[in-house]
Amino acid sequence: MRRTRPEFRRPVRRRWFPNVFWLTLCGFVVLVLIVFLTRESAKPASRSVLSKRTYRQVMTMESLNVTDEMLNPDSITRQLTDQISLAKAYIVIAKESNNLQFAWELSTQIRNSQILLSNAALRRSPLTLGESNTAVREMAFLLFQAQQLHYDSATMIMRLKARIQELEEQTSSVTDKSSKYGQIAAEEVPKSLYCLGVRLTTEWFNLSKLQQTVFEKTQSGIKLKDNSLYHFCIFSDNILATSVVVNSTALNSQNPDRIVFHLVTDEVNFAAMKAWFTMNRFRQVTVDVQKFEDFSWLNASYVPVLKQLQDSDTKNYYFSGNNDGGKTPIKFRNPKYLSMLNHLRFYIPEVFPALNKLVFLDDDVVVQKDLAGLFTVDLNGNVNGAVETCMETFHRYHKYLNYSHPLIRSHFDPDACGWAFGMNVFDLVEWRKRNVTGIYHYWQEKNVDRTLWKLGTLPPGLLTFYGLTEPLDPNWHVLGLGYTNVEEDVIENGAVLHFNGNLKPWLKIGMDKYKPFWEKYVDYSHPMLEQCNFR
């Protein structure tokens, strides 16, 4: 077959894609080589620059390290900080020297330096000499001026020491005044309580029906001597507080008809107390009211403390403290210690001669559980059942008694565990058998000059019931609601809450977070309470 002539041949297609691919690949390789060679050539120069950089420039690259900056002897930040500290001390001295203009200049420069430090901290880089040179120089000039004004170190130290001593004296004075005013506030009778006492006394003498009701109850007072019942006693002149104790006990009791309350007050509050507990009902609880002035055995020949309380020197000590130049703390001179109601707790067998077992309650407690279990507690032959308070060293015997006295030192262990008055179970049979009241008389006569103890009824109680006290479960008696913070779970599990301390719940100074535990047992809608503006 004959070939076609060249001019008539079909043109061959050219393949461009392979050529483009290879050209692109070659270009990419060349570009990578150029970048690599460029980096290699730049490395020596970078190292050279890095070796020439200062400490502060390196820190700028790696972010600010405050510790290294403050330890560095060339640190501008450290220099400024030291200047500020010294300037603050000089401001105090300048103000005391009445050089207010200079104090103002120091304060202004301190603010300028602090702004520089703040800006450096925000940008996380150290201060440079250029930006801080003016601030350092101006502060140095002011510090030099301070030295020329004799604000040298020795003078500054002496003046600061004098200032510290002055502030300590002021603090001590304020603390003493606070304690004194707090004590006065705690001893003051609120107007509402005073009003209630007056109105109740008037009701008692105006309404013969009240007196007739009391007479009829007295005639049928078999329960008052029945030892199969639950007997409680309170010695108080506070009508409302006593009412809360009785009401809270009644409302939380499973058998209120088996409860008998023996209330002892003074002649001033006797009619009002009688009227209140005659007018009001506390479920089926039996309430009996007496006044201690009716106790024939309560006289100075039998009761040493009564003789002491009648002594003019003792009254002067408690009321004014003039015999020691007023050095005795006010808490040791509380006039409540002159009240016989405060000392009757040592004469319970004489007050209730027919009873064998009894629970003593203070008037600043609230009962929130059934207390019937207290009458089945085994005291193991002891006289007093009480909750111990020696979880801390503060409540051991050495805190309450004078162990420099040989009589105390030879009879009592200073680390013996203290316990609390306010909720106590007393076995009156054992009390009489062991002549506990006689022990109390012995120690009271030894303390006629107040050298064994000074404060309250707890110290003589610790002496009287030493070796005769049975520890109770702490949940029976929770203390501290009148002066400190108590854990919520402890309060919740407590049978008796005690507002011991100055911050009583019926006072304005009482602790607000604990008042509801007490106020829930007060009927503020009662006509008498409304008339006297309670709340």
Side-chain angles (χ1 to χ4, degrees):
M1 187 168 74
R2 197 171 60 181
R3 280 177 171 260
T4 308
R5 290 186 346 197
E7 59 269 23
F8 297 107
R9 289 179 183 172
R10 185 184 302 170
V12 180
R13 291 182 179 179
R14 297 180 180 272
R15 297 182 178 179
W16 291 99
F17 175 77
N19 296 335
V20 172
F21 172 78
W22 287 111
L23 285 172
T24 303
L25 182 62
C26 290
F28 179 78
V29 171
V30 171
L31 182 62
V32 169
L33 287 173
I34 292 172
V35 171
F36 178 77
L37 292 174
T38 302
R39 280 192 168 186
E40 287 296 314
S41 62
K43 276 184 180 179
S46 177
R47 289 195 189 97
S48 175
V49 172
L50 183 62
S51 61
K52 294 179 182 180
R53 282 180 178 168
T54 63
Y55 164 81
R56 190 170 288 98
Q57 290 171 322
V58 173
M59 294 300 294
T60 303
M61 293 289 294
E62 299 178 356
S63 83
L64 179 63
N65 186 320
V66 177
T67 302
D68 291 345
E69 180 71 9
M70 294 305 294
L71 293 177
N72 178 29
D74 298 326
S75 169
I76 301 297
T77 301
R78 177 179 176 179
Q79 186 175 350
L80 266 181
T81 304
D82 291 343
Q83 284 184 331
I84 289 172
S85 299
L86 190 57
K88 287 181 177 180
Y90 284 145
I91 285 177
V92 175
I93 300 176
K95 288 182 178 179
E96 289 183 349
S97 303
N98 204 29
N99 193 345
L100 302 182
Q101 176 63 29
F102 186 63
W104 178 82
E105 292 176 3
L106 285 171
S107 299
T108 302
Q109 193 54 47
I110 287 175
R111 283 194 297 272
N112 294 338
S113 299
Q114 289 174 334
I115 290 172
L116 285 175
L117 293 173
S118 177
N119 292 335
L122 287 174
R123 69 172 187 252
R124 298 187 61 80
S125 62
L127 287 170
T128 62
L129 184 60
E131 64 182 325
S132 59
N133 186 45
T134 302
V136 172
R137 189 188 306 111
E138 290 180 358
M139 181 68 85
F141 178 71
L142 288 175
L143 296 178
F144 175 75
Q145 279 187 307
Q147 292 180 351
Q148 296 302 308
L149 293 170
H150 304 293
Y151 296 167
D152 53 28
S153 299
T155 303
M156 183 175 67
I157 291 172
M158 290 181 64
R159 290 193 177 186
L160 288 177
K161 283 184 176 180
R163 181 61 176 165
I164 291 171
Q165 184 177 356
E166 181 183 347
L167 290 174
E168 287 177 348
E169 291 175 355
Q170 290 178 2
T171 302
S172 177
S173 175
V174 170
T175 302
D176 183 60
K177 288 180 179 178
S178 175
S179 174
K180 184 179 296 185
Y181 295 149
Q183 189 71 48
I184 293 172
E187 295 170 13
E188 182 182 358
V189 178
K191 291 180 180 179
S192 53
L193 281 179
Y194 178 77
C195 167
L196 180 63
V198 172
R199 287 185 176 274
L200 287 171
T201 302
T202 303
E203 288 290 322
W204 174 256
F205 288 108
N206 286 344
L207 299 177
S208 59
K209 290 183 179 179
L210 289 178
Q211 298 186 31
Q212 182 62 31
T213 303
V214 172
F215 177 76
E216 291 173 358
K217 286 184 177 181
T218 306
Q219 293 297 101
S220 59
I222 301 175
K223 284 188 172 183
L224 302 180
K225 300 179 181 181
D226 187 349
N227 281 293
S228 66
L229 303 180
Y230 306 138
H231 293 269
F232 297 85
C233 73
I234 305 174
F235 305 135
S236 174
D237 57 2
N238 189 322
I239 300 165
L240 191 61
T242 304
S243 177
V244 168
V245 180
V246 175
N247 193 30
S248 61
T249 305
L251 291 176
N252 291 290
S253 173
Q254 296 180 7
N255 300 290
D257 59 313
R258 294 178 57 80
I259 294 178
V260 180
F261 264 96
H262 303 266
L263 311 182
V264 181
T265 187
D266 54 20
E267 192 165 16
V268 174
N269 296 280
F270 177 70
M273 194 83 77
K274 276 278 200 181
W276 179 262
F277 286 99
T278 304
M279 295 167 57
N280 299 284
R281 294 289 180 268
F282 302 89
R283 299 180 73 183
Q284 295 171 290
V285 170
T286 300
V287 181
D288 179 57
V289 182
Q290 305 179 71
K291 61 175 184 283
F292 72 81
E293 286 87 353
D294 289 341
F295 301 150
S296 59
W297 50 266
L298 192 60
N299 52 70
S301 61
Y302 176 64
V303 181
V305 70
L306 190 60
K307 183 179 180 180
Q308 295 172 19
L309 293 178
Q310 294 173 353
D311 182 68
S312 59
D313 289 340
T314 302
K315 290 182 179 180
N316 188 49
Y317 171 83
Y318 280 116
F319 277 107
S320 65
N322 290 337
N323 53 354
D324 66 348
K327 295 179 181 179
T328 304
I330 189 171
K331 68 178 182 178
F332 295 124
R333 296 187 278 110
N334 192 332
K336 76 176 183 179
Y337 302 129
L338 290 172
S339 172
M340 195 60 213
L341 289 172
N342 205 44
H343 298 273
L344 275 181
R345 64 192 67 191
F346 296 104
Y347 298 95
I348 290 177
E350 285 86 348
V351 179
F352 312 109
L355 300 182
N356 296 333
K357 198 168 191 178
L358 178 143
V359 172
F360 166 79
L361 296 174
D362 269 339
D363 64 2
D364 55 352
V365 306
V366 168
V367 177
Q368 60 177 13
K369 295 185 185 299
D370 189 359
L371 300 185
L374 288 172
F375 292 86
T376 59
V377 171
D378 185 3
L379 297 183
N380 296 311
N382 288 307
V383 177
N384 173 31
V387 170
E388 292 183 332
T389 56
C390 59
M391 286 73 73
E392 303 172 2
T393 56
F394 178 81
H395 294 102
R396 296 189 183 272
Y397 268 49
H398 64 78
K399 182 64 181 180
Y400 302 99
L401 305 173
N402 178 19
Y403 272 86
S404 64
H405 198 290
L407 196 58
I408 296 294
R409 194 167 56 249
S410 61
H411 283 80
F412 304 98
D413 178 6
D415 292 323
C417 193
W419 45 268
F421 269 131
M423 196 291 297
N424 304 81
V425 183
F426 290 120
D427 185 336
L428 303 185
V429 175
E430 285 294 324
W431 185 313
R432 298 181 185 100
K433 185 187 300 183
R434 294 172 181 261
N435 190 25
V436 173
T437 303
I439 298 173
Y440 169 69
H441 285 171
Y442 171 81
W443 289 112
Q444 276 290 355
E445 289 170 350
K446 292 294 182 181
N447 193 47
V448 66
D449 55 356
R450 296 178 295 278
T451 56
L452 303 185
W453 72 86
K454 292 183 181 297
L455 176 63
T457 52
L458 182 56
L462 296 176
L463 302 182
T464 301
F465 295 101
Y466 185 72
L468 301 174
T469 299
E470 180 69 15
L472 299 180
D473 187 316
N475 287 333
W476 280 117
H477 188 190
V478 175
L479 296 110
L481 278 74
Y483 73 93
T484 188
N485 291 315
V486 184
E487 296 178 3
E488 290 183 7
D489 59 329
V490 174
I491 294 177
E492 183 179 352
N493 296 325
V496 175
L497 306 182
H498 196 170
F499 291 81
N500 57 313
N502 285 336
L503 309 180
K504 304 300 184 187
W506 56 85
L507 299 175
K508 290 183 179 180
I509 62 173
M511 300 177 73
D512 290 336
K513 63 179 178 179
Y514 297 142
K515 281 186 177 183
F517 293 108
W518 186 86
E519 291 180 332
K520 66 189 289 188
Y521 297 106
V522 180
D523 180 12
Y524 287 105
S525 63
H526 191 287
M528 284 281 186
L529 301 188
E530 288 185 340
Q531 291 171 12
C532 291
N533 296 319
F534 276 87
R535 276 284 187 189

